[in-house]
Amino acid sequence: PQVALAHAERAARLRELHAPGDPLQRLRSADQLAYAHYRLGDFERAEVLWREVLAGATLADAPFDVLTNAHQALAGMYNNLSRPQEALAVLEAADVLMRGRVDPQSPERVNFMRGRRGALVQLGRADEAEALARLAIDIQSRTVGERNARMAFLLNALGLALNEQARFREAQQAFEQSLAASDSLAEVPAERGPLILNLAAVAESAGDYARALQQFDAGIALLETSEPQMDSLRLRQARRSRARTLGLLGRGEEALETLTSLEQQALALDGEEAFEPAMLAWQRAVLARHRGRPEDGFAALEVAEARMRPLLPADHAIYAYMARVRGHLLALQGDLAAAAESL
C-alpha cells in the first residue's frame, strides 16, 4: 500500500504538471489517492478525497468511470466501517448517476447491488439483502458466467444474508460455492481470508464451535499475510469473532482478555463513537451471560446499548437480542418476573 500511495502521488504530480488546474484530471488523481489511503487504513483522508470526486459529478464531461468507481468504493468503505446508512445514501446517489446510462440488468450494476446488500444486512433487513444478492447472481451468471471472482463475492454475500436469517445449512452451501467459484481468488490471501472467516461464522452459528475456531485461525492467518497493518479494522473484527467462539467453547478467561484488549485498542484507534467499541462491549455482555456473571453482563450491556443507540435505528434486531440477554442476566440473579418481561 505504501508503494501504491507513492505511485498515486507521482501520477497526481504528473497530471498537474501536464494539465495544470484541470478539474477533471484532479478528479482522477483524487480517486486514486483515496484508494491508496483507504488501503493504508487512513479512512478519514480517503473519505475526504472520495467526497471531492463525488462533488465533481456536476462538472461538464466529468469522467463517468471515475465517478462510479468513487461511489462504489466510498459505499464499500462505509460498510466496512459499519456505517450502513451512509453507504446506502452514496449508493442512492450512484443509482441516480447511472439512470439512463447503465442498463438495470448490466453487470456494471452488480457491485453496487453487492454494496447495497451489505448495508441492508447491517440494518437488519436480511430478507431484502437476500433478494438483492440473488438478483445480482442471476445477472452475473447470464452476462459473464458462473466461475469468476465477482461471482465468488456474490455467493459470499448471499451466504451472509442467509446466515443472518439463521438458515445455516444454506449459508454454508453458499460460502462453499463461493470458495469454488474462482480459481484465481484461491491464490489471493486478502480475498480468500474473509471467505474462510465467513465459513467460520456459519459453523459457529450452527453450533460447531471447534470447527469454527479452526476456520477463524485459518482465515486470520491469511489476513495477517496481506493486511498492511496488524491492527487493521478487518483483522480486529476477525479476532473479535474468534474471541466469541472461545467463549462458546468454555474458554472464558481467554475470550475476556482478548475482548478487553481489542476494546481498548478500538477506543484508541476508532474513538468511542465508532461501531467497533460498541460491538466489543456487546460481546463482553454476551460472554458474561455464558459465564454466569450477571453483574459483569449488566455493566457491559449498559455500555454497549449507549454506544449502539446513535449508530443503529431503533427497530434494529440487535436491541431484541439485547433484551434477551438482559432477561437471561436477570434470571441468573433470580429475578424471574423481570426476566420474563424482558424475554
Side-chain angles (χ1 to χ4, degrees):
Q2 287 285 4
V3 175
L5 177 60
H7 285 316
E9 290 173 336
R10 182 170 183 270
R13 289 194 298 271
L14 287 171
R15 288 192 183 98
E16 192 62 28
L17 177 65
H18 295 288
D22 186 325
L24 304 186
Q25 292 302 319
R26 286 181 173 177
L27 289 184
R28 292 191 181 278
S29 294
D31 185 40
Q32 292 179 348
L33 287 166
Y35 186 73
H37 281 288
Y38 169 67
R39 288 295 294 133
L40 281 168
D42 188 352
F43 305 130
E44 290 184 9
R45 183 59 181 154
E47 180 178 15
V48 168
L49 288 164
W50 272 322
R51 284 289 178 186
E52 287 180 12
V53 179
L54 267 59
T58 59
L59 294 173
D61 300 321
F64 185 69
D65 61 324
V66 173
L67 293 174
T68 54
N69 181 73
H71 280 82
Q72 178 186 316
L74 180 58
M77 185 179 78
Y78 282 148
N79 274 334
N80 291 337
L81 295 174
S82 301
R83 295 161 63 180
Q85 290 163 318
E86 290 167 275
L88 281 180
V90 171
L91 291 167
E92 290 291 345
D95 187 60
V96 172
L97 180 69
M98 291 187 290
R99 199 169 296 159
R101 302 178 72 173
V102 180
D103 189 283
Q105 296 295 306
S106 168
E108 293 181 43
R109 294 269 189 172
V110 164
N111 277 343
F112 294 91
M113 293 179 182
R114 182 175 150 217
R116 186 180 296 275
R117 184 236 37 107
L120 290 172
V121 165
Q122 292 189 56
L123 290 169
R125 295 157 61 183
D127 55 339
E128 296 176 57
E130 179 193 351
L132 196 59
R134 292 192 185 279
L135 174 59
I137 287 169
D138 178 64
I139 292 172
Q140 184 72 7
S141 177
R142 285 188 289 103
T143 58
V144 179
E146 296 186 353
R147 286 190 57 78
N148 50 76
R150 184 179 287 173
M151 180 61 81
F153 291 133
L154 294 174
L155 287 164
N156 179 66
L158 175 62
L160 291 170
L162 292 167
N163 191 48
E164 285 295 314
Q165 297 175 77
R167 292 157 62 184
F168 304 132
R169 181 170 297 178
E170 293 173 82
Q172 183 172 353
Q173 289 174 347
F175 289 140
E176 289 172 350
Q177 289 170 355
S178 174
L179 285 169
S182 173
D183 295 330
S184 61
L185 200 62
E187 306 301 321
V188 184
E191 304 298 350
R192 186 173 178 82
L195 301 185
I196 292 176
L197 291 172
N198 289 335
L199 274 172
V202 78
E204 181 199 89
S205 298
D208 192 347
Y209 305 135
R211 182 183 180 193
L213 185 61
Q214 290 176 344
Q215 290 175 326
F216 276 127
D217 286 339
I220 288 170
L222 282 171
L223 282 188
E224 286 177 342
T225 68
S226 60
E227 285 292 296
Q229 297 168 316
M230 287 287 89
D231 60 0
S232 73
L233 179 61
R234 187 155 66 163
L235 264 174
R236 288 186 280 124
Q237 289 171 333
R239 291 168 182 148
R240 162 167 53 83
S241 297
R242 182 184 185 274
R244 183 183 62 226
T245 300
L246 288 174
L248 293 167
L249 281 166
R251 294 161 61 178
E253 284 296 334
E254 188 178 349
L256 180 59
E257 182 179 346
T258 300
L259 291 173
T260 302
S261 174
L262 286 171
E263 189 171 353
Q264 292 170 348
Q265 195 174 29
L267 288 168
L269 293 172
D270 309 325
E272 191 165 6
E273 301 79 15
F275 188 73
E276 190 60 14
M279 279 300 295
L280 286 158
W282 165 237
Q283 289 304 322
R284 283 195 296 108
V286 174
L287 177 62
R289 179 193 66 179
H290 291 319
R291 301 180 75 196
R293 300 189 176 184
E295 293 80 7
D296 293 343
F298 284 125
L301 194 59
E302 182 179 358
V303 173
E305 188 166 8
R307 290 174 179 167
M308 287 284 186
R309 287 293 178 187
L311 300 172
L312 295 175
D315 60 352
H316 196 281
I318 197 166
Y319 300 120
Y321 297 142
M322 286 184 173
R324 186 169 66 184
V325 168
R326 184 176 288 107
H328 290 156
L329 295 172
L330 287 165
L332 287 171
Q333 286 188 325
D335 192 344
L336 299 183
E341 183 177 348
S342 185
L343 291 168

